[in-house]
């Protein structure tokens, strides 16, 4: 799902710099030959789980406002499909803020990213691992209950970070809910 979250037109040399949050971020980590997480020091320490579930809406709503979640979903659904080459890039992409770009597939990718974080909690609680690192897109640790968190003392406008949902907060709320005893 992470590679379906298209936030830029195809990335290639000579086309200018892509946005910092793009599908290449995943490849740098997991590419079979050159991915950072494929390095020899991780050989016996990494458990690969590519079958993470989609988060439930209840998992998301423990952290995010219902109107915010619906707005993300609606704005993604309004985007033209990425494979439709007859439409302009502007109709394939929607901007949540100056940093955060969404495509038609971004809502589903965000639901799976949050699901991966919840699956990581399950793995830790079951003793399958001691800690987890979720390679997901869109990332998720800046978003507040209604998206961008603003702060008066921050002249740049608060949190950005390319996040749709706060996967870290979703995982923490999931852990409190599922493992409260």
């Amino acid at each position: 799902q992470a590679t379906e979250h298209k936030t830029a037109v195809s990335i290639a040399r000579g086309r200018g710099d892509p946005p910092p949050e793009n599908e290449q971020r995943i490849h740098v980590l997991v590419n079979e030959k050159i991915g950072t997480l494929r390095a020899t020091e991780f050989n016996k320490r990494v458990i690969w789980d590519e079958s993470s579930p989609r988060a439930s809406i209840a998992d998301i709503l423990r952290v995010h406002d219902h109107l915010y979640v619906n707005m993300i979903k609606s704005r993604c659904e309004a985007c033209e499909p990425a494979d439709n080459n007859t439409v302009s890039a502007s109709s394939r992409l929607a901007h949540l803020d100056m940093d955060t770009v969404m495509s038609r597939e971004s809502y589903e990718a965000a639901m799976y990213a949050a699901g991966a974080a919840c699956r990581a909690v399950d793995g830790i609680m079951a003793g399958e691992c001691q800690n987890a690192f979720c390679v997901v897109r869109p990332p998720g640790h800046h978003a507040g209950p209604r998206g961008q968190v603003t702060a008066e003392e921050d002249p740049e406008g608060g949190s950005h970070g390319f996040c749709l949902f706060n996967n870290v907060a979703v995982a923490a709320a999931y852990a409190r809910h599922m493992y409260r005893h």
Side-chain angles (χ1 to χ4, degrees), residues 40-61:
T40 55
E41 60 261 33
F42 294 117
N43 274 352
K44 302 220 186 320
R45 299 178 67 197
V46 174
I47 300 169
W48 296 96
D49 180 358
E50 296 180 23
S51 62
S52 294
R54 182 182 189 276
S56 73
I57 193 68
D59 295 333
I60 303 297
L61 292 177

Side-chain angles (χ1 to χ4, degrees), residues 111-132:
M111 294 298 284
Y112 278 94
C118 294
R119 170 65 188 101
V121 168
D122 289 338
I124 291 166
M125 295 305 294
E128 298 168 9
C129 54
Q130 292 180 332
N131 54 45

Side-chain angles (χ1 to χ4, degrees), residues 97-100 142-144 147-162:
D97 57 44
M98 65 185 208
D99 286 336
T100 311
H142 288 106
Q148 181 183 25
V149 178
T150 57
E152 287 181 24
E153 64 277 358
D154 182 356
E156 299 298 316
S159 69
H160 296 278
F162 323 108

